[in-house]
């Protein structure tokens, strides 16, 4: 991916390796390569859906991006500026521009704090505006996400799951960020409530022009909300491109498998799901070459020896496969 | 329809230990025949899991069947003693749970757990029971079943654990299987394998399946008939085709509109949240969230009526009844 300064956010070759330690001395005997060279761009106002199954490294990518996990390697550019080299003040400004919404609205809000305190904290920490105006901003945001002003004095346990996720979104928006990393924001919610939250995110996105990195295992949700999609498998992006391209004509055998596994919503057009079992490798037991080759119907000897690079194709997608 | 393998009539399940006691499943009736799949669909707290546990006679302490009947073949399950129920459970009616790790005993190998069930219900002993257990695992297409039988649950992946749970449920060839969110904890590619497996096993043995899920996609893939539950009651019942073609109840309509899909700028929202079961509104429980609500809905609970052939709904203002 060429860096041309037009992207709001550009991530290059991001790696997060967790050491495996053993023995009395806790010597490092290996590493789990949870994220192993991930790169993508995000334009202003754009939503990139990062999809994959458990353990593919999609959440770790999001956490590393917002600084909640130290990346092992990689560069992040914000409007062309390398965040790591721009100095402390610039790094802090970057943090402000990038916020996160977590999956579990139950464990990501401090149960002992009132909503007012939770939502004020980002303003206090970053010293935004004068202190007397902060409560007003909190109230305005509470109403913006569809709650009532008087609920500012309530505690998290007094809210339902969907309402708590509204609070999580409000917290992420307090600092008027450019990018929100949404880590499975609707996975814990029932479908009727999930629709409320997805609609709220879509409204906020068009109203505020905020970009979303939308991390999810749910292909239906990503197909609904994303402009572009990146499919991850064991720490790497294997296929990426515009939403319609990926969902209408997947090319990577893993993307195909994923899309063919999604239940159909038409009882007259059911899938022929196979009962057969193919063992799924994990990040600790990653196959050589292409990590997907053990499950791939197209695998050849080349796939075992050489890892296919993520290379751009004519139709606007990039693909990491020797045989497609 | 062939003869029902399982018939439930007017079932009420009550939290008797609460003060005051309240009902979590009310007026539930359903029937499922051999080889047929009945899906019960609904959101958290609608009573679908309590219904499953009631069928299995596995209700937790303080929860009881207040009314109604559950007939398996020609036996009234609610009338059985605890000991008789144990003989039925696993043998004639078996359950597949959502979370395979909690459904399996962590300190027994999966082979011995299955062999134990076989020994108890089929009267096989020792080596015979063990080889029957390995065979049950092989039928679920467990890779390398001889070796896996000697392993503990924590040594298996999520998909393999669910295969072990299915082997355990099927090893005594029950007439009815109750599966409570059997694929919810699994990745989508593994879910596809497990749904394929359940379908294959059902075809092979002609088992009647009651499948409980929150996922309308799983319903569309598996169901013959569907019961939609809301706040402890059946609000709609139909064949899967009729339900997806033309849902009658506004709640079912809302659920279908809420499914994320490409091209939909805005999804249908069902405003508000499910009311707590201990303070249900008078009248229809869905009334406070319903876009078609009228005064009558707030006062009088609508009965489950047949608006089209074999298609029932509990609503005063159903969609396009004709």
């Amino acid at each position: 991916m060429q860096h041309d300064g037009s992207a709001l956010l550009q991530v290059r070759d991001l790696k997060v390796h967790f050491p495996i330690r053993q023995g009395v001395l806790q010597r490092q005997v290996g590493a789990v390569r949870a994220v192993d060279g991930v790169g993508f761009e995000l334009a202003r106002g754009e939503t990139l859906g990062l999809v994959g199954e458990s353990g593919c490294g999609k959440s770790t990518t999001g956490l590393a991006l917002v600084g909640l996990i130290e990346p092992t390697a990689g560069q992040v550019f914000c409007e062309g500026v390398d965040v790591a080299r721009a100095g402390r003040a610039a790094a802090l400004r970057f943090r402000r521009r990038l916020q996160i919404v977590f999956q579990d609205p139950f464990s990501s809000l401090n149960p002992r704090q009132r909503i007012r305190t939770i939502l004020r904290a980002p303003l206090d920490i970053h010293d935004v505006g004068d202190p007397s105006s902060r409560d007003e901003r909190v109230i305005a945001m509470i109403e913006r996400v569809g709650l009532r002003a008087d609920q500012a004095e309530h505690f998290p346990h007094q809210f339902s799951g969907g309402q708590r996720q509204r609070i999580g979104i409000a917290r992420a928006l307090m600092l008027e960020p450019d990018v929100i990393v949404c880590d499975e924001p609707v996975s814990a919610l029932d479908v009727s409530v999930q629709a409320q939250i997805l609609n709220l995110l879509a409204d906020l996105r068009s109203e505020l022009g905020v970009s979303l990195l939308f991390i999810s295992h749910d292909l239906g949700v990503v197909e609904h909300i994303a402009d572009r999609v990146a499919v991850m498998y064991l720490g790497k992006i294997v296929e990426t491109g515009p939403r319609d391209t990926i969902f209408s004509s997947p090319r990577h055998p893993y993307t195909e498998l994923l899309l063919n596994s999604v239940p159909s919503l038409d009882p007259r057009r059911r899938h022929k799901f196979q009962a057969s079992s193919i063992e799924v490798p994990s990040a600790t037991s990653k196959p050589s070459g292409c990590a997907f080759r053990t499950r791939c119907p197209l695998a050849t000897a080349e796939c075992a020896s050489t890892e296919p690079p993520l290379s751009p194709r004519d139709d606007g997608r990039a693909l990491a496969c020797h045989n497609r | 329809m062939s003869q029902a393998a399982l018939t439930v009539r007017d079932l009420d399940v009550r939290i008797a230990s609460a003060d005051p006691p309240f009902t979590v499943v009310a007026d539930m009736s359903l029937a499922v025949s051999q080889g047929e799949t009945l899906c019960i669909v609904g959101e958290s707290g609608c009573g679908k899991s309590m219904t499953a546990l009631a069928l299995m006679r596995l209700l937790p302490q303080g929860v009881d069947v207040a009314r109604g009947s559950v007939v398996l073949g020609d036996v009234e399950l609610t009338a059985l003693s605890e000991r008789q129920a144990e003989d039925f459970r696993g043998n004639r009616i078996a359950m597949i749970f959502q979370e395979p790790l909690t459904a399996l005993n962590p300190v027994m190998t999966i082979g011995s757990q299955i062999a134990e069930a076989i020994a108890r219900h089929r009267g096989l002993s020792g080596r015979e029971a063990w080889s029957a257990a390995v065979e049950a695992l092989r039928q679920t297409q467990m890779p390398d079943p001889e070796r896996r039988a000697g392993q503990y649950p924590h040594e298996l992946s999520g998909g393999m654990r669910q295969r072990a749970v299915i082997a355990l449920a099927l090893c005594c060839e029950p007439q009815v299987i109750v599966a409570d969110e059997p694929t919810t904890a699994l990745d989508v590619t593994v879910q596809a394998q497990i749904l394929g497996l359940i379908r294959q096993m059902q075809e092979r043995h002609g088992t009647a399946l009651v499948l409980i899920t929150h996922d309308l996609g799983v319903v569309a893939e598996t169901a013959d008939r569907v019961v939609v539950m809301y706040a402890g009651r059946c609000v709609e019942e139909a064949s899967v085709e009729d339900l997806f073609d033309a849902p009658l109840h506004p709640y079912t309509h809302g659920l279908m509109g809420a499914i994320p899909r490409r091209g939909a700028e805005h999804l249908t929202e069902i405003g508000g949240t499910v009311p707590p079961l201990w303070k249900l509104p008078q009248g229809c429980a869905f009334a406070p969230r319903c876009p078609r609500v009228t005064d009558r809905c707030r006062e009088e609970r609508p009965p489950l009526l047949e608006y089209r052939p074999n298609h029932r709904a509990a609503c005063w203002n159903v969609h396009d009844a004709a």
Side-chain angles (χ1 to χ4, degrees):
Chain A
M1 234 176 280
Q2 204 53 50
H3 162 232
D4 58 18
S6 67
L8 172 63
L9 189 73
Q10 195 195 28
V11 176
R12 258 198 234 171
D13 207 20
L14 185 73
K15 289 183 183 171
V16 183
H17 294 179
F18 297 108
I20 304 170
R21 296 180 191 282
Q22 263 175 21
V24 193
L25 298 174
Q26 289 291 293
R27 230 188 283 271
Q28 183 172 345
V29 295
V32 179
R33 290 175 291 160
V35 178
D36 204 18
V38 162
F40 56 85
E41 284 185 2
L42 195 57
R44 195 171 288 280
E46 183 183 48
T47 298
L48 174 67
L50 194 56
V51 293
E53 297 183 283
S54 2
C56 73
K58 56 191 189 303
S59 287
T60 309
T61 301
L63 292 174
L65 202 59
V66 295
L68 288 172
I69 289 180
E70 182 84 21
T72 311
Q75 290 171 293
V76 177
F77 296 88
C78 187
E79 288 175 330
V81 178
D82 185 340
V83 175
R85 295 189 180 176
R88 224 184 114 68
L92 207 62
R93 271 202 306 279
F94 176 69
R95 288 278 165 85
R96 228 177 107 168
R97 300 175 65 177
L98 196 71
Q99 295 292 318
I100 185 164
V101 175
F102 296 97
Q103 168 173 4
D104 185 354
F106 294 84
S107 63
S108 56
L109 301 174
N110 187 332
R112 295 199 178 87
Q113 290 185 342
R114 295 179 195 278
I115 302 313
R116 175 199 302 282
T117 316
I118 291 173
L119 294 186
R120 239 191 95 118
L123 300 177
D124 290 338
I125 289 164
H126 287 272
D127 199 22
V128 177
D130 76 284
S132 59
S133 73
R134 285 175 195 162
D135 279 351
E136 282 166 39
R137 294 174 73 146
V138 165
I139 299 299
M141 186 58 75
I142 286 177
E143 291 179 334
R144 178 62 200 87
V145 298
L147 300 172
R148 295 189 320 270
D150 63 284
Q151 291 176 310
E153 303 308 325
H154 291 182
F155 290 94
H157 75 265
Q158 293 172 283
F159 295 91
S160 69
Q163 289 175 320
R164 283 184 226 210
Q165 203 52 299
R166 289 177 193 271
I167 297 164
I169 291 168
R171 175 172 61 185
L173 285 170
M174 286 312 294
L175 293 167
E176 296 171 3
D178 295 312
V179 179
I180 302 179
V181 174
C182 301
D183 186 10
E184 303 268 13
V186 295
S187 304
L189 306 175
D190 275 320
V191 59
S192 70
V193 181
Q194 169 178 302
Q196 297 172 12
I197 298 299
L198 289 174
N199 285 345
L200 175 65
L201 281 171
D203 288 345
L204 292 168
R205 178 177 61 176
S206 54
E207 194 178 303
L208 307 172
V210 65
S211 309
L212 303 181
L213 177 65
F214 195 97
I215 298 167
S216 179
H217 73 284
D218 186 327
L219 290 136
V221 170
V222 169
E223 184 174 8
H224 170 70
I225 202 164
D227 301 310
R228 281 193 308 122
V229 180
V231 181
M232 277 187 82
Y233 187 75
L234 293 184
K236 289 210 158 73
I237 292 176
V238 297
E239 182 165 13
T240 177
R243 182 250 325 253
D244 291 350
T245 310
I246 302 296
F247 279 94
S248 300
S249 58
R251 297 277 303 279
H252 196 284
Y254 178 59
T255 316
E256 280 181 341
L257 174 67
L258 270 185
L259 294 181
N260 287 334
S261 302
V262 178
S264 137
L265 280 162
D266 182 351
R268 291 191 180 83
R269 297 174 59 188
R270 290 182 176 172
H271 290 286
K272 297 254 177 293
F273 287 144
Q274 294 303 310
S276 61
S277 156
I278 298 176
E279 250 333 274
V280 181
S282 73
T284 46
S285 61
K286 217 184 277 190
S288 66
C290 172
F292 185 62
R293 69 179 165 82
T294 53
R295 303 169 70 186
C296 184
L298 307 176
T300 60
E302 188 190 13
C303 304
S305 60
T306 324
E307 187 172 350
L310 186 67
S311 58
R313 305 294 164 97
D314 293 339
D315 54 0
R317 87 175 88 210
L319 186 63
C321 180
H322 290 306
N323 302 310
R324 281 286 168 84
Chain B
M1 210 188 290
S2 57
Q3 205 206 326
L6 180 77
T7 312
V8 176
R9 258 188 230 109
D10 304 325
L11 183 74
D12 284 6
V13 177
R14 188 181 55 153
I15 312 261
S17 56
D19 186 26
F22 62 93
T23 302
V24 288
V25 176
D27 291 337
M28 196 62 185
S29 293
L30 50 89
V32 55
S33 322
Q34 279 209 328
E36 191 186 39
T37 300
L38 175 82
C39 277
I40 302 179
V41 64
E43 300 183 284
S44 335
C46 72
K48 56 192 193 299
S49 291
M50 280 298 180
T51 305
L53 294 175
L55 303 187
M56 295 300 300
R57 289 277 308 255
L58 282 174
L59 286 171
Q61 282 269 310
V63 185
D64 58 28
V65 170
R67 187 176 73 101
S69 102
V70 179
V71 177
L72 176 72
D74 48 9
V75 179
E76 173 62 55
L77 290 189
T78 55
L80 297 182
S81 71
E82 209 49 56
R83 174 171 291 239
Q84 288 170 318
E86 266 175 46
D87 282 336
F88 263 72
R89 209 164 35 228
N91 191 16
R92 312 246 333 246
I93 182 166
M95 185 151 178
I96 301 172
F97 295 88
Q98 170 172 359
E99 183 33 78
L101 205 50
T102 52
L104 294 167
N105 185 338
V107 296
M108 274 173 87
T109 64
I110 57 164
S112 13
Q113 293 181 52
I114 300 169
E116 188 184 64
I118 290 171
R120 179 182 173 128
H121 295 301
R122 283 168 45 188
L124 299 181
S125 59
R127 190 172 299 163
E128 283 172 338
W130 182 266
S131 22
V134 172
E135 190 45 43
L137 285 172
R138 190 189 317 281
Q139 287 206 10
T140 67
Q141 310 216 11
M142 174 78 87
D144 198 0
E146 287 86 359
R147 187 168 69 88
R148 297 297 179 188
Q151 289 187 314
Y152 293 90
H154 75 268
E155 298 178 89
L156 306 178
S157 70
M160 284 200 282
R161 277 180 211 138
Q162 201 58 303
R163 281 174 203 275
V165 170
I166 291 172
L168 188 56
L170 285 166
C171 63
C172 298
E173 303 192 1
Q175 285 125 312
V176 179
I177 289 187
V178 179
D180 187 6
E181 304 268 11
T183 58
T184 304
L186 304 174
D187 274 324
V188 62
T189 57
V190 183
Q191 164 172 289
Q193 293 173 8
I194 297 297
L195 290 180
L197 174 65
I198 291 175
R199 187 181 300 169
Q200 190 193 74
M201 301 299 269
Q202 191 185 14
E203 277 165 15
R204 193 174 295 166
H205 302 291
T207 321
L209 177 65
V210 179
L211 196 154
I212 288 159
T213 180
H214 70 285
D215 187 336
L216 282 166
V218 170
V219 174
E221 281 290 345
T222 59
D224 296 307
R225 288 194 70 76
V226 188
V227 164
V228 182
M229 282 188 82
Y230 186 80
R233 286 176 184 274
C234 169
V235 295
E236 184 159 3
E237 198 223 324
S239 75
V240 69
E241 290 87 2
D242 289 348
L243 191 84
F244 278 82
D245 285 348
L248 287 169
H249 199 284
Y251 176 63
T252 317
H253 250 267
L255 279 185
M256 296 203 177
I259 299 171
R261 60 204 172 274
R262 207 189 323 176
E265 194 52 40
H266 262 82
L267 304 172
T268 310
E269 291 182 18
I270 302 178
T273 45
V274 181
L277 289 164
W278 54 91
K279 47 178 183 190
L280 287 179
Q282 196 192 345
C284 172
F286 188 59
R289 307 176 70 190
C290 184
R292 296 167 79 91
V293 64
T294 58
D295 286 343
R296 187 180 191 186
C297 310
R298 297 194 190 89
E299 285 150 20
E300 205 182 335
R301 187 171 51 232
L304 194 64
L305 296 178
E306 188 162 349
Y307 286 91
R308 297 195 200 109
N310 261 315
H311 191 163
R312 278 173 281 278
C315 176
W316 296 121
N317 306 299
V318 293
H319 285 259
D320 320 314

